[in-house]
Amino acid sequence: MDKNVRQSKKSWMTKEILTNAIRDSFKKLNPKEMIKNPVMFVVEVGFIITLVLTVFPDLLEKNGNALYNGIVSAILLVTILFANFAEAVAEGRGKAQAESMKKTKKDTPAKLLDKNGNVKILNSNEIKKGDIVLCETGDIIPNDGEVIEGLAFVDESAITGESAPVIKEAGGDFSSVTGGTRIKSDRLKIRITATPGQSFLDRMISLVEGASRHKTPNETALTTVLVSLTMIFLIVVAALYPMADYTGVRISVSTLIALLVCLIPTTIGGLLSAIGIAGMDRVTRFNVIAMSGKAVEACGDVDTMILDKTGTITFGNRLAAEFIPVGRATRETIARFALIASLKDETPEGRSVIELAARQGINIDKSEYDKAENVEFTSQTRMSGLNLPSGAQVRKGASDTIQNHVTGLGGVIPKDLQSSVDKVSRLGGTPLVVCIDREIMGVIYLKDTVKPGLVQRFERLRQIGIKTIMCTGDNPLTAQTIAKEAGVDDFIAECKPEDKIDVIKREQAEGRLVAMTGDGTNDAPALAQADVGLAMNSGTTAAKEAANMVDLDSDPTKIIEVVEIGKQLLITRGSLTTFSIANDVAKYFAIIPAMFTIAVPQMNVLNVMGLSTPQSAILSALIFNAAIIPALIPIAMRGVKYKPMSAQAMLAKNMLIYGLGGMIVPFAGIKLIDILINPILKALNLG
């Protein structure tokens, strides 16, 4: 992402967005577009009727006032344009970001490898799913894929905006690569996993542009309420005409239309779509891609958050800090066999064991172990090591797993093993037990650190009623220590992938919405099961496809901020809806007395604002109704400021600010407009 685009994140409005939004506001006047927003479509119909009455003032009534009809028509047009402008601004922000992404999406040369390993140069759009391509230093990766051979630094700034390259390698959770990113060093063989036009970048562009945006369930429900209110007021206003005629009051069609437009929820009707688009946009600008607006909205309703310990709650760089001998083993013995067990372990933990042994002066001839069979760690076996050519088995792993392994071979558990394991666990570290065949040598103390500030962040979540559950493969004592230090509500120790699914289903069965993060293939089922699944961009393709959100920065703690953005979206929509409906009270006191005071002088008691003339009152209310929409656009774009608090406190605050404020502001605004326009209306003989 280039510098200009990154800077544009700081502002919700730029000159380019403003220019495009003004143009699009007129384009959206097309009835085919307006019908998507029923409330504003009614306003457009009213505009068309008053426009016709401006040209043919006597069409529906005798002695119609063309000038008055024209002014009402002009104000209605401005109201529609302001509503269209709000939506166009929201869309424009997304389109601006999409344009920067499109710059990275271009036909690039791709090095296709055939079955014999020969390289054939093709355009990237000719590469098919399943093809194997070679990418070397400086090459742009032609499409999404999985690394099947090699290790290299990849520049993902085109996607994430961050200049620091990331490591991609075959196997594990960092094998997924994205089309449009560039190889900074070394080379990779990549199996393409996406067809042209359906890559992750393509989907990002489509989502950011809004082409794939559909109304969320809450948005649809609110639209239904707004349409119902509009229909009710339409019936009420239509019934006023014969009632007024019966009492001898002459009400022009333009006045009735003005009353209808002021009473229907035009404010929220004009801003509703913009609020939804801006909510997705805020998530996107936070470097999270939401696969749908429903996913963002679901974040606001989350009750339970599932968090991995490693990399989320702790830094994840568990490094060997100490070798603790047990039984008859010495410190040198445990260090030696820990080193042997880690020779082919390419994880950070494995490399740290080798480094610690070297610092302690333990040296071995690594060539002696070239033919040793590597036993990789899995979530099921929970141990790794080497099978030596001599037949000996050297293992390191979780305490219970190694104990079962040793006792299964007829070995005896040292009496001081459990105390050493407990000591490491109480320190918040991870104990790895080392054995050779049926003899346990000792414990490796892997030290990890809880990320600063998490206690306060989890307390914030607790204040808004969100329960946090930490999942970890550590033993219960270590898990308990870390959970207490971090401040999470609950934890699951010795957690396997299926355990995550079980806890998600359990929480959902109790009526809760669940969010979780993940990056590995084994996280995919749980990500799919969760109501909000946030996958890391550095993770596997399976994880990203299973989730409904992708974090481009691959920061597992970002789920906390994403949930708060979802809360902000719901609060913004609710607050502006409250404000919009409260607005109608003032408009009622402005227009109704103005319509009936001439024939029924007693109605003047309702003219609490002391508005000058009936025409001035009606037009003042109509002008305020139009002006309030652009005044609220910044709130719709940025969102209502969110602070963690209980639902009751939040409701009380919003009712005070947006409910009571929604009634007070129109009284002051309409009165001010009346003072300003009354001399003008008198000059036009409309006063």
Side-chain angles (χ1 to χ4, degrees):
M1 202 177 297
D2 59 37
K3 183 178 179 181
N4 292 332
V5 174
R6 290 173 64 80
Q7 288 177 340
S8 72
K9 291 184 179 185
K10 299 177 183 179
S11 172
W12 64 273
M13 177 70 77
T14 65
K15 183 178 179 181
E16 183 180 3
I17 290 175
L18 176 63
T19 303
N20 292 335
I22 292 173
R23 182 189 67 240
D24 290 344
S25 298
F26 287 92
K27 287 184 177 180
K28 290 177 178 290
L29 289 174
N30 186 332
K32 291 182 179 179
E33 289 289 324
M34 294 300 300
I35 195 66
K36 297 175 184 177
N37 188 337
V39 176
M40 299 312 299
F41 179 72
V42 169
V43 179
E44 185 172 48
V45 171
F47 158 68
I48 293 171
I49 293 172
T50 53
L51 181 63
V52 171
L53 291 177
T54 302
V55 181
F56 306 103
D58 298 326
L59 182 64
L60 299 177
E61 53 195 359
K62 293 181 180 179
N63 302 317
N65 191 322
L67 179 58
Y68 175 74
N69 293 342
I71 294 174
V72 172
S73 180
I75 297 173
L76 293 182
L77 175 61
V78 171
T79 303
I80 301 166
L81 290 175
F82 280 160
N84 289 349
F85 179 77
E87 184 175 16
V89 167
E91 291 175 349
R93 283 157 57 94
K95 288 176 181 178
Q97 190 174 9
E99 286 302 316
S100 72
M101 293 179 184
K102 286 178 179 178
K103 292 177 183 177
T104 69
K105 190 181 182 322
K106 53 187 177 181
D107 287 341
T108 56
K111 300 172 182 175
L112 177 67
L113 290 174
D114 61 21
K115 295 179 180 179
N116 299 319
N118 298 319
V119 175
K120 182 180 180 181
I121 306 298
L122 298 174
N123 285 330
S124 58
N125 58 8
E126 297 180 79
I127 299 297
K128 303 184 296 296
K129 183 176 181 179
D131 285 345
I132 307 296
V133 297
L134 175 66
C135 292
E136 300 174 295
T137 303
D139 289 348
I140 294 177
I141 297 173
N143 208 335
D144 298 354
E146 294 277 354
V147 178
I148 59 174
E149 184 181 311
L151 181 149
F153 280 100
V154 177
D155 176 7
E156 295 188 327
S157 60
I159 306 296
T160 66
E162 299 298 330
S163 57
V166 296
I167 293 177
K168 296 292 182 178
E169 58 185 328
D173 294 340
F174 297 93
S175 60
S176 172
V177 291
T178 306
T181 56
R182 185 185 297 272
I183 304 290
K184 294 291 288 184
S185 69
D186 303 299
R187 53 189 278 168
L188 297 174
K189 283 186 181 179
I190 301 168
R191 178 182 291 109
I192 301 300
T193 57
T195 55
Q198 297 180 4
S199 68
F200 181 64
L201 188 58
D202 289 314
R203 284 185 291 157
M204 279 178 61
I205 292 171
S206 177
L207 288 162
V208 171
E209 282 185 316
S212 299
R213 183 184 127 77
H214 300 285
K215 286 186 177 181
T216 63
N218 283 352
E219 196 174 345
T220 300
L222 182 55
T223 300
T224 302
V225 172
L226 298 182
V227 171
S228 300
L229 288 173
T230 301
M231 293 300 296
I232 291 170
F233 284 122
L234 186 61
I235 294 170
V236 169
V237 171
L240 275 178
Y241 190 84
M243 291 171 59
D245 186 61
Y246 179 78
T247 59
V249 177
R250 177 181 174 274
I251 301 178
S252 69
V253 174
S254 293
T255 298
L256 284 174
I257 291 173
L259 174 63
L260 174 63
V261 170
C262 285
L263 293 186
I264 65 177
T266 50
T267 305
I268 187 61
L271 294 173
L272 185 59
S273 182
I275 294 169
I277 296 171
M280 285 190 69
D281 181 67
R282 279 195 296 276
V283 171
T284 302
R285 288 170 183 271
F286 202 59
N287 260 9
V288 172
I289 296 298
M291 299 307 175
S292 68
K294 184 178 180 180
V296 180
E297 194 169 87
C299 288
D301 292 323
V302 163
D303 303 295
T304 303
M305 193 179 295
I306 310 293
L307 300 160
D308 277 326
K309 186 204 80 171
T310 305
T312 303
I313 293 174
T314 62
F315 282 106
N317 53 343
R318 299 185 302 175
L319 305 178
E322 185 182 356
F323 297 124
I324 305 172
V326 297
R328 61 179 185 176
T330 64
R331 196 172 298 276
E332 183 179 352
T333 307
I334 167 65
R336 175 181 173 80
F337 284 105
L339 171 59
I340 293 171
S342 304
L343 283 176
K344 297 187 178 182
D345 184 352
E346 294 299 326
T347 65
E349 292 91 342
R351 288 193 287 267
S352 73
V353 170
I354 297 173
E355 291 170 3
L356 179 61
R359 288 199 300 271
Q360 296 186 1
I362 306 300
N363 296 305
I364 61 174
D365 185 359
K366 296 181 181 180
S367 63
E368 294 180 11
Y369 302 94
D370 287 344
K371 295 183 179 179
E373 179 188 358
N374 182 34
V375 179
E376 293 185 356
F377 177 90
T378 68
S379 57
Q380 285 73 34
T381 63
R382 300 175 64 225
M383 63 180 179
S384 63
L386 295 180
N387 291 333
L388 306 182
S390 63
Q393 298 180 357
V394 184
R395 297 286 188 272
K396 66 178 182 358
S399 176
D400 59 336
T401 303
I402 295 297
Q403 289 185 53
N404 291 335
H405 174 73
V406 168
T407 54
L409 296 175
V412 178
I413 307 301
K415 293 180 180 179
D416 57 345
L417 174 63
Q418 194 59 46
S419 62
S420 297
V421 169
D422 290 347
K423 175 186 174 183
V424 172
S425 298
R426 280 193 295 271
L427 292 171
T430 301
L432 286 185
V433 178
V434 178
C435 73
I436 177 169
D437 293 330
R438 58 184 186 177
E439 183 177 359
I440 292 179
M441 296 288 104
V443 179
I444 305 171
Y445 172 18
L446 293 180
K447 190 174 182 180
D448 203 351
T449 308
V450 173
K451 293 181 177 180
L454 280 184
V455 174
Q456 293 78 10
R457 296 170 82 181
F458 289 143
E459 178 59 31
R460 260 168 47 202
L461 293 175
R462 200 172 291 112
Q463 289 174 7
I464 56 178
I466 295 179
K467 176 183 178 183
T468 51
I469 301 176
M470 180 186 79
C471 293
T472 176
D474 292 333
N475 63 66
L477 190 55
T478 300
Q480 184 179 25
T481 302
I482 295 291
K484 184 177 180 180
E485 185 179 349
V488 295
D489 298 313
D490 200 0
F491 66 89
I492 302 173
E494 299 175 346
C495 181
K496 298 184 289 294
E498 52 269 27
D499 294 331
K500 293 180 183 179
I501 300 177
D502 291 340
V503 71
I504 291 171
K505 289 182 177 179
R506 185 187 71 208
E507 293 291 319
Q508 289 173 333
E510 295 176 4
R512 300 187 181 98
L513 264 68
V514 182
M516 76 157 285
T517 61
D519 58 4
T521 300
N522 60 358
D523 289 326
L527 287 168
Q529 179 66 38
D531 300 284
V532 176
L534 179 65
M536 303 297 101
N537 189 45
S538 62
T540 62
T541 300
K544 289 191 282 188
E545 289 181 347
N548 51 21
M549 302 181 104
V550 177
D551 175 21
L552 302 179
D553 295 327
S554 300
D555 175 8
T557 63
K558 197 179 285 186
I559 185 70
I560 298 172
E561 282 83 4
V562 170
V563 165
E564 291 189 346
I565 290 175
K567 290 281 185 187
Q568 186 185 43
L569 169 63
L570 296 181
I571 292 169
T572 301
R573 185 184 295 149
S575 299
L576 293 185
T577 299
T578 302
F579 187 89
S580 175
I581 294 174
N583 265 222
D584 292 342
V585 176
K587 298 170 194 171
Y588 175 87
F589 279 103
I591 295 183
I592 296 298
M595 291 171 56
F596 290 95
T597 297
I598 296 175
V600 187
Q602 294 85 349
M603 290 286 289
N604 195 51
V605 72
L606 295 177
N607 186 16
V608 294
M609 286 179 277
L611 301 178
S612 306
T613 65
Q615 291 83 358
S616 177
I618 292 167
L619 294 177
S620 295
L622 203 58
I623 291 171
F624 177 86
N625 188 67
I628 198 65
I629 294 177
L632 293 175
I633 289 177
I635 297 178
M637 295 295 104
R638 296 193 180 110
V640 173
K641 190 173 182 180
Y642 169 74
K643 288 184 179 179
M645 62 182 70
S646 66
Q648 293 82 357
M650 194 177 298
L651 177 62
K653 178 184 175 183
N654 286 340
M655 288 301 295
L656 178 64
I657 296 175
Y658 295 95
L660 184 60
M663 286 191 284
I664 294 174
V665 171
F667 276 98
I670 291 172
K671 178 60 179 177
L672 179 61
I673 295 170
D674 174 72
I675 294 172
L676 294 174
I677 70 170
N678 187 49
I680 300 174
L681 294 179
K682 285 184 177 180
L684 296 173
N685 294 319
L686 291 176

